[in-house]
Amino acid sequence: MAPSAAQDILEALREGTAQRHASLEAMLALRQPFGRGHYVRVLQGFDAFLSTWEPRMARALPARLQAWFAQGRRLHLLQQDLTALGAAPVAIDGPAVPALDTLPAALGSLYVLEGSALGGQFIAAAARRHLGLAAGHGAAYFHGCGSGTAARWREFRALVDTELADDAPGRRQAVRAAADTFDGLAATFRGLVDADERAAA
């Protein structure tokens, strides 16, 4: 059976961002035991990034996709987690969020954040093991849609297939925007780590 257009597009996105994805995972270091302080810094970094990214994404998407996007917004879950953990958001100068000036660019950027929700299921389980946190207390962001996460990913695959199957230039824009989104996340977290090092000095 021949691969679908969605598989081709997702493979291009995976290949175009693999090194950046691996680097970000290594920076966040959530696939090994972690402490509460590190976990809070990760939440603060995502909060800083999504505070700019979510409104920009909402402006970039057409009306027909607004309801779907709204169902998956997770910034409020970060804020819920930080409150539960007694932590405040941190100010980071200009999180490097891509411009998202075309629908293909928006879809490329969505690939990164929607994909992170899949990995978030692993992190939510790790937060429960290492820190005793649960979806209702401190791990709402990574828990996300919970058992509905895989279904939402399938919806995203179908969306990419519909919008980009016959748009080769758009597919290139999507890969570029996905790479830029990983770069923006990395820059956000580097800034957070640097700020912590200066505070500790």
Side-chain angles (χ1 to χ4, degrees):
M1 183 176 178
S4 69
Q7 287 174 313
D8 288 344
I9 297 164
L10 290 172
E11 185 60 28
L13 286 162
R14 278 192 293 269
E15 290 181 357
T17 60
Q19 185 174 354
R20 289 172 168 87
H21 189 177
S23 296
L24 183 64
E25 281 201 345
M27 183 185 299
L28 299 186
L30 293 175
R31 293 190 174 272
Q32 58 195 51
F34 51 82
R36 184 184 180 99
H38 177 70
Y39 178 77
V40 167
R41 286 193 295 275
V42 170
L43 292 178
Q44 289 169 325
F46 276 114
D47 175 77
F49 187 84
L50 290 188
S51 291
T52 298
W53 183 87
E54 279 198 358
R56 187 168 295 178
M57 179 60 68
R59 290 192 297 271
L61 293 174
R64 67 181 183 278
L65 300 180
Q66 289 294 329
W68 179 84
F69 176 61
Q71 290 172 356
R73 292 179 77 147
R74 292 189 289 159
L75 177 60
H76 69 287
L77 300 178
L78 282 166
Q79 295 165 345
Q80 177 181 316
D81 287 341
L82 290 173
T83 297
L85 296 170
V90 296
I92 295 176
D93 291 339
V97 176
L100 308 181
D101 50 1
T102 67
L103 179 56
L107 293 174
S109 192
L110 273 169
Y111 163 80
V112 178
L113 275 301
E114 292 294 330
S116 76
L118 293 172
Q121 301 306 294
F122 173 91
I123 297 167
R128 184 170 59 250
R129 288 195 308 273
H130 302 319
L131 304 175
L133 302 178
H137 182 80
Y141 174 72
F142 288 115
H143 183 266
C145 297
S147 60
T149 301
R152 184 169 174 85
W153 180 249
R154 288 193 295 272
E155 291 170 357
F156 175 73
R157 287 171 58 96
L159 175 61
V160 166
D161 201 5
T162 299
E163 300 292 343
L164 297 180
D166 299 317
D167 184 0
R171 291 163 74 162
R172 290 191 291 272
Q173 289 178 35
V175 172
R176 180 69 260 166
D180 289 346
T181 301
F182 273 116
D183 288 345
L185 283 163
T188 298
F189 283 104
R190 276 196 299 270
L192 183 58
V193 170
D194 289 347
D196 287 344
E197 290 173 350
R198 286 195 297 271

